[in-house]
Amino acid sequence: MLPLPSAAARPFATIAARSLGRSFSTTPGMAAADVTRLGVAGAGQMGLGIALVAAQKAQVPVTLVDSSQASIERGLKFADKLLEKDVSKDRITKDEATTIRERLSPTTRMEDLSSVDFVIEAVPEVPSLKTSIFAQLARVCPPHAILATNTSSISITKIAASTTPKDNPTDLSAASRVISTHFMNPVPVQKGVEIISGLQTSESTVATALALVKKMGKIPSQSADSPGFLANRMLMPYINEAIVCLDTGVGGKEDIDNIMKNGTNVPMGPLQLADFIGLDTCLAIMEVLHQELGDSKYRPAVLLRRMVDAGWLGKKSGKGFYDY
């Protein structure tokens, strides 16, 4: 019979067992690796925010990749606007703003990520798009580079599997470097970042991800690879139920938002928050929760689907529950 751990050691043994249950990577644990150049795939609101915070707070050069030159130009204009605002409020000097801006290197070529130490994918919540990008990243990025996703709901294990050779599923050389660094919107303002490991993720990958987000001035929280992770597992059903209340006449949009703002001291109500997140993003996450967990309580509100069908996506489209 194997000896049982002492009473003092049992909590640590339990933690170790849980950790092993979530990861099957054989890569040995080690200290966090240095990140001297970051890559960001996707120049939308999230990708640009991540790139800008990394350039400003972590002071690392960033290669910003997007297949659309127009998206890159919009993103860089937004970056300039944010930096100008910081200068006007005396948060940074003009020289510092120039230095930060010079750290951003835009490109439409995925091959330009060949020299990064860490790359963060920030494209829309479309599973096939993300797995396609990660298959490319595994080929293009250096063999030591951490491959991170900003997904808010899609399985990290599934994304990591897209980097594994089909003829050799035990080859975890790329999959062990896949992790989620789920930043919150807007990235320059929100401090929280979820760190989610897949079954394949190595300890060294986790250590490097934690170190990088801390260097970016963020506060990480670790989550298991479960649908919605922590934040959206709690947040999206709350938003979805607010939409159901609106659709079924329980209350008007202002009443729904005001009771939550004035009754629970949150900065904005659920409907306004949904507009800021993007109603298409809310719908995509609710669909993942519903499909993966199979519980009817996660079924997307009918009104949410209709608004997305109408193209009323919230702040980014100019119309959602409110007009912008």
Side-chain angles (χ1 to χ4, degrees):
M1 180 180 292
L2 293 173
L4 293 172
S6 67
R10 278 177 200 144
F12 300 100
T14 301
I15 292 170
R18 287 176 180 167
S19 180
L20 286 171
R22 290 188 194 139
S23 176
F24 288 90
S25 171
T26 55
T27 304
M30 60 183 70
D34 289 333
V35 177
T36 59
R37 174 169 283 277
L38 177 70
V40 176
Q45 185 175 3
M46 292 301 296
L48 189 281
I50 293 167
L52 185 60
V53 170
Q56 183 170 359
K57 299 294 185 180
Q59 299 182 358
V60 295
V62 181
T63 301
L64 180 62
V65 183
D66 197 292
S67 60
S68 167
Q69 183 62 38
S71 293
I72 290 174
E73 290 173 2
R74 281 195 301 270
L76 293 178
K77 284 181 181 178
F78 183 55
D80 291 337
K81 183 178 179 180
L82 292 177
L83 290 172
E84 287 170 8
K85 183 178 180 180
D86 282 347
V87 171
S88 69
K89 292 183 176 292
D90 294 324
R91 294 170 182 160
I92 58 175
T93 66
K94 284 186 177 180
D95 287 344
E96 288 172 333
T98 299
T99 300
I100 293 165
R101 181 64 173 76
E102 288 174 347
R103 292 191 183 114
L104 301 178
S105 301
T107 179
T108 57
R109 289 167 35 86
M110 191 75 81
E111 292 78 10
D112 290 335
L113 294 172
S114 61
S115 62
V116 302
D117 302 305
F118 199 114
V119 61
I120 301 173
E121 164 272 312
V123 303
E125 287 289 281
V126 179
S128 59
L129 175 61
K130 289 184 183 289
T131 54
S132 172
I133 287 174
F134 269 80
Q136 292 179 63
L137 293 176
R139 294 192 299 268
V140 170
C141 295
H144 70 277
I146 304 301
L147 312 177
T149 173
N150 189 56
T151 184
S152 53
S153 60
I154 300 169
S155 167
I156 311 309
T157 299
K158 183 180 293 186
I159 292 174
S162 67
T163 68
T164 302
K166 292 182 179 180
D167 59 348
N168 188 7
T170 61
D171 179 2
L172 302 181
S173 58
S176 64
R177 294 181 279 117
V178 175
I179 194 167
S180 175
T181 51
H182 177 212
F183 290 80
M184 305 296 151
N185 189 29
V187 180
V189 176
Q190 301 290 4
K191 291 288 188 181
V193 176
E194 282 184 307
I195 303 295
I196 305 104
S197 302
L199 290 180
Q200 309 94 323
T201 308
S202 70
E203 292 179 15
S204 59
T205 296
V206 176
T208 302
L210 288 168
L212 176 63
V213 299
K214 288 177 183 177
K215 192 175 179 182
M216 292 171 66
K218 303 303 183 184
I219 301 171
S221 293
Q222 291 183 256
S223 169
D225 185 14
S226 182
F229 315 131
L230 284 174
N232 284 322
R233 184 74 163 266
M234 296 180 282
L235 176 62
M236 286 302 156
Y238 158 70
I239 288 175
N240 195 62
E241 191 61 27
I243 299 171
V244 171
C245 286
L246 177 65
D247 193 23
T248 57
V250 177
K253 63 184 179 183
E254 291 86 359
D255 294 308
I256 291 169
D257 279 352
N258 285 338
I259 192 59
M260 297 311 297
K261 287 191 291 183
N262 300 320
T264 64
N265 202 32
V266 292
M268 64 176 68
L271 301 178
Q272 184 184 14
L273 178 57
D275 276 353
F276 276 72
I277 293 171
L279 302 191
D280 53 339
T281 299
C282 293
L283 177 58
I285 295 169
M286 286 305 301
E287 287 177 332
V288 168
L289 291 175
H290 190 216
Q291 292 166 7
E292 295 285 334
L293 297 171
D295 193 321
S296 61
K297 72 180 180 180
Y298 298 114
R299 184 171 56 240
V302 174
L303 179 59
L304 176 59
R305 288 191 184 278
R306 294 294 171 266
M307 293 184 72
V308 172
D309 288 343
W312 300 348
L313 308 181
K315 190 173 185 294
K316 63 185 174 184
S317 69
K319 184 175 181 61
F321 294 107
Y322 298 90
D323 294 332
Y324 300 90

